[in-house]
Amino acid sequence: MLDVNNTTYYTLNEVRDSFDCSKDGLWLPLISEFTWHPYARTAVYLIGLLWCFMGVAILADVFMCSIEKITSKTRIITIASTSKAGTEEIEIRVWNDTVANLTLMALGSSAPEILLSIIEIVGNNFNAGELGPSTIVGSAAFNLLVITAVCVVVIDSSEVRVIKSVKVFFITAFSCIFAYIWLIVILVAITPDFVDIWEAVITLLFFPILVLIAYVADKDFCSKAQKISNSMELGFDDAQTKLLDKYKHLWKDGKVDKNLIAQILKEIGKSHHLSDEDKARLAAARIAEEQKKSRGWYRVNASRKLFGGKSLAPRLNPQLSEVYDDMKAKDTVISDQGSAYHGSLVDLSDKGRIAVLEFTASSVAVLEREQKCKVGIRRYGKKDNQVAFRLETIDGSATAGEDYIPVKQTLAFQPGQTYIEYVVEIIDDNVYEPDETFFIKMALEPEQEALLGKKSINMITIINDDEPGTLEFAHPSFVFKESVGKALVAVNRVNGADGRIQVSWKTEDMTAINGRDFEGGEGVLVFEHGEIAKAIEIPIYDDQDSGDAEKDEHFKVTLSDPTDGAQLGSKVKTIVTIVNDEDYQGIVSRLVNLTSLNIDALKVDSASYAQQFENAMNVNGGDLESATSFDYLMHFLTFGWKIIFAIVPPVHFCGGWLTFICALIMMIFMTIIVGDLASIFGCLCGLEKPITAITFVALGTSLPDLFASKQAAEMEATADNSVGNVTGSNSVNVFLGLGLPWSVAAVYHYVKSGSAFYVPAGALAFSVLLYAIFAVVCLGLLIFRHYVFPKGELGGATWFKWVTFTIMVVMWLLYIIVSSLQVDGKITSPF
């Protein structure tokens, strides 16, 4: 301050420090806010904080893309095989999944929290801050309690999700409690309110120790009954998730396999008239669903869906979604040899190295009078071990005790056994009812060296045989190649199968002519007592030899005049399309190219800067057809961030490392801004920094993880990618987010003054203690769900999953309330 000619002048720093909360930020405020109304300042900082949370989430998307590129690196190796050549080349991941999840993936999902802790200490002259550590604990509480609770309830009550890597989960679960108890030990017991160098360094060293122990557990090096296989000798990971050669039949020369597209086209074309673009989108969706997805994939996709970015999963309109569900119900695909089979696109057994259990069919039908339904269960892959599994029935429109005898039983495949036929008892009555369905579900007992196949749930239809039934075509349209010889047009008998009935059929020319393109006319189809499916055989003429090849041709088939009390259903007419073989192959080739383009559009990375900016400037990355009003709104709000972060180099440069470094640098700047905004906003609201940290900051940085885990829970067959990784991330936050800056600060204070690093226990230790207590209860509940009821961490009986949800959310609310009361002095801390 200067006095010149009776006029007082203030320096810039004096003006900056002359209004409330002006000293809480490293960079902010940039201008004098002395004349601003407090409410206006509060609103501006709140809006700025929320907007920057969006920016952090979008930048984390870029960050995770680079990590996904780095950890997906593969290499080709040659191993011995039983083929004629004697060797086989396979593609394997360089990164172990467990190591990737606990290192780069954990860093990517928790980067804001970890960087905030580091930046706060550095910016505070290596003195301890309150915002960073409290954010780490608050984020851990939200992740473990709220994210887990949401994942539990989003699974349908007829399903459960089980953590497959149980050993790794137990290690990370123990670690996520131990890490926080360790904080209490060093802050309260050993050196109260101080952190010595050795304490900080040990905290940091726990990070590589955790990774090493989890890796050993994942590889099962310490198993007493470890069996050596080719994959284990070479250091491979679990057969289902680490070997990539199982996907090779999906691709040939960088494009989708033509045989695969032909089979998918056949399944689509039987019942729907769709454009080539729609068919290609369906094929891409089918293939994308089968591909292995990492924690990073779910994190990136959730962020993009939330902010109107380019989705990594095809977005299908309601019509295509219905067709897609119909395709999945059929579950008929093409094998790598080109022959059709019922099951998954992926051989889960990894060429016989692991046992896979599944039903022989995804649905069966039984006449009510038979009173017994035989359900086939097969085991393929590894056959020399015993595998125990459970069967349990679930009501559909059929009710247990009234329509069938409920099942809840444990069975086992003995060594060498590959097939079990299980009998479900059906209750026969004399009351007419429409066809009813129920489900029988298969689940593995804990600690089994096996996997469930795609057909782990079987739908059983009880066909009422007290009525003659209703007759209708299986599909509204059929497609046959010209060289097929005979077209088999399927007719179904539903809602009854009693007695012998007949139905007349007749063909009607359209572009296809009877006598020239097919042998039509009329006839009678006979259903004997109990028969529920027959086919009309119509010869198809192949005119390729005559040189008279034509385009697609159509004719109509109509059902009429059912006998003996039978009725006609809704599909009494169907269109049969005859496709020229050359045209058919042309269609397949065209769809191969279109599907490959769709698959390329779903890749995490962008091919060039131009494509990167194009994706950033367009809602949904240019997919306007499936864009919703919410997508447009979020794209508008985040447009600036998307353009700014599009300058980060594409991930294909330097194997993703250049993107990683550039995104990390940008994340540091974003974290400084978020820290300033949060500190000033909390100050303006009269909130202490620990309260701001465990509420606004923790929620803002963790919400994208919530959506990612929810999506992983819904899409994955196991719970590993949804809740299994939460415990690991919570541990890494302490070991890396506190261990690293505390080690640097402890060394700094020792060199400068010979003193220890001062970290007041107070609110931090109390908050950590609350988290540790609630974490023990939460993990105990998950263990109970895993081993006792409902034999899975996620899903299960409606009442119990909502009880689980309520317990976890109430614990989180108690954590917030009690921690806040302690900070405000309403509760006395024992520390």
Side-chain angles (χ1 to χ4, degrees), residues 331-448:
D331 201 27
T332 302
V333 295
I334 201 78
S335 71
D336 51 346
Q337 286 80 24
S339 59
Y341 73 98
H342 293 274
S344 168
L345 296 176
V346 178
D347 175 19
L348 297 178
S349 73
D350 185 36
K351 300 182 180 178
R353 296 187 180 102
I354 192 167
V356 181
L357 273 60
E358 65 178 2
F359 292 109
T360 55
S362 56
S363 63
V364 295
V366 59
L367 295 173
E368 188 179 69
R369 62 178 172 80
E370 292 183 0
Q371 301 183 24
K372 291 183 179 181
C373 177
K374 297 179 180 179
V375 179
I377 305 167
R378 71 178 184 126
R379 189 249 292 263
Y380 68 91
K382 188 177 181 181
K383 302 172 185 176
D384 60 354
N385 61 327
Q386 184 186 63
V387 181
F389 63 96
R390 301 187 310 279
L391 291 181
E392 183 175 358
T393 50
I394 303 168
D395 284 354
S397 56
T399 304
E402 297 179 7
D403 301 302
Y404 69 93
I405 303 299
V407 172
K408 193 171 185 180
Q409 185 175 350
T410 298
L411 303 174
F413 275 96
Q414 299 303 321
Q417 187 178 11
T418 59
Y419 180 79
I420 292 177
E421 185 175 79
Y422 189 82
V423 177
V424 181
E425 295 187 36
I426 307 298
I427 299 176
D428 188 14
D429 56 40
N430 296 321
V431 179
Y432 171 72
E433 297 172 304
D435 294 352
E436 297 176 306
T437 60
F438 66 96
F439 304 89
I440 183 166
K441 178 183 178 181
M442 183 191 312
L444 292 174
E445 292 289 352
E447 304 297 329
Q448 300 298 307

Side-chain angles (χ1 to χ4, degrees), residues 62 64-70 72-73 310 603-613 615 646 648-660:
V62 179
M64 291 299 293
C65 285
S66 68
I67 293 172
E68 180 73 10
K69 180 70 173 180
I70 293 168
S72 64
K73 183 178 180 181
K310 188 189 77 169
K603 290 182 177 178
V604 171
D605 56 313
S606 300
S608 64
Y609 262 119
Q611 187 183 48
Q612 200 159 275
F613 275 96
N615 291 336
V648 176
V651 297
H652 66 269
F653 291 151
C654 304
W657 285 105
L658 181 59
T659 308
F660 178 86

Side-chain angles (χ1 to χ4, degrees), residues 65 68 251 280-289 291 293 297 300-301 304 310-316 594-606 611 615 620 623:
C65 285
E68 180 73 10
W251 306 92
R281 180 168 292 202
L282 285 171
R286 188 74 176 96
I287 294 169
E289 183 185 28
Q291 291 181 312
K293 301 172 183 65
W297 186 95
V300 172
N301 194 47
R304 294 186 182 182
K310 188 189 77 169
S311 177
L312 300 181
R315 295 190 177 186
L316 306 178
L594 286 172
T595 304
S596 297
L597 290 175
N598 275 274
I599 293 294
D600 289 340
L602 301 178
K603 290 182 177 178
V604 171
D605 56 313
S606 300
Q611 187 183 48
N615 291 336
N620 282 359
D623 183 13

Side-chain angles (χ1 to χ4, degrees), residues 794-811:
L794 310 182
T798 301
W799 70 271
F800 191 60
K801 70 179 185 180
W802 282 107
V803 167
T804 305
F805 175 86
T806 303
I807 292 173
M808 292 183 178
V809 171
V810 167
M811 286 194 296

Side-chain angles (χ1 to χ4, degrees), residues 382-626:
K382 188 177 181 181
K383 302 172 185 176
D384 60 354
N385 61 327
Q386 184 186 63
V387 181
F389 63 96
R390 301 187 310 279
L391 291 181
E392 183 175 358
T393 50
I394 303 168
D395 284 354
S397 56
T399 304
E402 297 179 7
D403 301 302
Y404 69 93
I405 303 299
V407 172
K408 193 171 185 180
Q409 185 175 350
T410 298
L411 303 174
F413 275 96
Q414 299 303 321
Q417 187 178 11
T418 59
Y419 180 79
I420 292 177
E421 185 175 79
Y422 189 82
V423 177
V424 181
E425 295 187 36
I426 307 298
I427 299 176
D428 188 14
D429 56 40
N430 296 321
V431 179
Y432 171 72
E433 297 172 304
D435 294 352
E436 297 176 306
T437 60
F438 66 96
F439 304 89
I440 183 166
K441 178 183 178 181
M442 183 191 312
L444 292 174
E445 292 289 352
E447 304 297 329
Q448 300 298 307
E449 296 182 3
L451 298 171
L452 288 181
K454 279 289 181 181
K455 295 191 285 291
S456 60
I457 297 179
N458 190 306
M459 182 178 74
I460 300 176
T461 301
I462 304 174
I463 300 172
N464 189 291
D465 51 8
D466 300 319
E467 294 289 330
T470 300
L471 299 170
E472 62 182 5
F473 286 111
H475 307 292
S477 63
F478 294 82
V479 176
F480 298 101
K481 290 193 295 184
E482 195 174 46
S483 59
V484 72
K486 285 186 178 181
L488 301 179
V489 183
V491 180
N492 290 339
R493 181 186 192 180
V494 298
N495 295 333
D498 185 44
R500 184 178 188 272
I501 62 172
Q502 299 180 4
V503 64
S504 300
W505 60 268
K506 182 179 181 180
T507 63
E508 180 181 338
D509 292 353
M510 296 176 70
T511 56
I513 307 300
N514 181 17
R516 187 192 72 182
D517 302 304
F518 68 98
E519 185 179 322
E522 56 186 58
V524 174
L525 193 63
V526 178
F527 285 80
E528 298 294 341
H529 177 71
E531 289 185 335
I532 59 173
K534 298 294 284 288
I536 301 171
E537 296 185 5
I538 302 177
I540 303 297
Y541 297 147
D542 188 351
D543 56 11
Q544 292 188 35
D545 295 336
S546 65
D548 189 23
E550 301 175 81
K551 298 297 182 182
D552 296 358
E553 299 165 318
H554 318 279
F555 66 91
K556 184 187 298 183
V557 185
T558 304
L559 297 178
S560 63
D561 303 325
T563 65
D564 298 297
Q567 298 179 347
L568 293 177
S570 58
K571 295 191 284 287
V572 296
K573 295 182 180 181
T574 189
I575 303 296
V576 177
T577 300
I578 306 172
V579 183
N580 180 276
D581 281 14
E582 293 181 2
D583 292 338
Y584 183 80
Q585 294 302 324
I587 292 172
V588 172
S589 297
R590 186 164 63 252
L591 284 174
V592 167
N593 294 328
L594 286 172
T595 304
S596 297
L597 290 175
N598 275 274
I599 293 294
D600 289 340
L602 301 178
K603 290 182 177 178
V604 171
D605 56 313
S606 300
S608 64
Y609 262 119
Q611 187 183 48
Q612 200 159 275
F613 275 96
E614 181 182 350
N615 291 336
M617 296 177 68
N618 291 283
V619 63
N620 282 359
D623 183 13
L624 303 182
E625 181 183 349
S626 59

Side-chain angles (χ1 to χ4, degrees), residues 57 298-299 302-303 306-307 699-709:
Y298 288 109
R299 182 65 163 74
S303 177
L306 187 60
F307 299 117
L699 264 67
T701 56
S702 298
L703 276 178
D705 289 317
L706 170 63
F707 292 106
S709 292

Side-chain angles (χ1 to χ4, degrees), residues 132-206:
S134 295
T135 298
I136 285 178
V137 183
S139 178
F142 182 85
N143 291 344
L144 184 60
L145 300 174
V146 178
I147 291 181
T148 302
V150 171
C151 290
V152 168
V153 297
V154 296
I155 304 302
D156 189 84
S157 300
S158 63
E159 303 178 26
V160 292
R161 300 283 191 274
V162 181
I163 291 177
K164 176 177 173 290
S165 302
V166 177
K167 293 180 181 179
V168 175
F169 173 73
F170 275 124
I171 290 171
T172 56
F174 170 80
S175 178
C176 87
I177 297 176
F178 168 79
Y180 294 85
I181 293 178
W182 169 251
L183 290 182
I184 298 175
V185 171
I186 62 176
L187 291 177
V188 177
I190 301 178
T191 52
D193 295 329
F194 286 93
V195 175
D196 289 336
I197 293 177
W198 70 269
E199 294 171 326
V201 171
I202 287 180
T203 302
L204 180 60
L205 289 178
F206 279 139

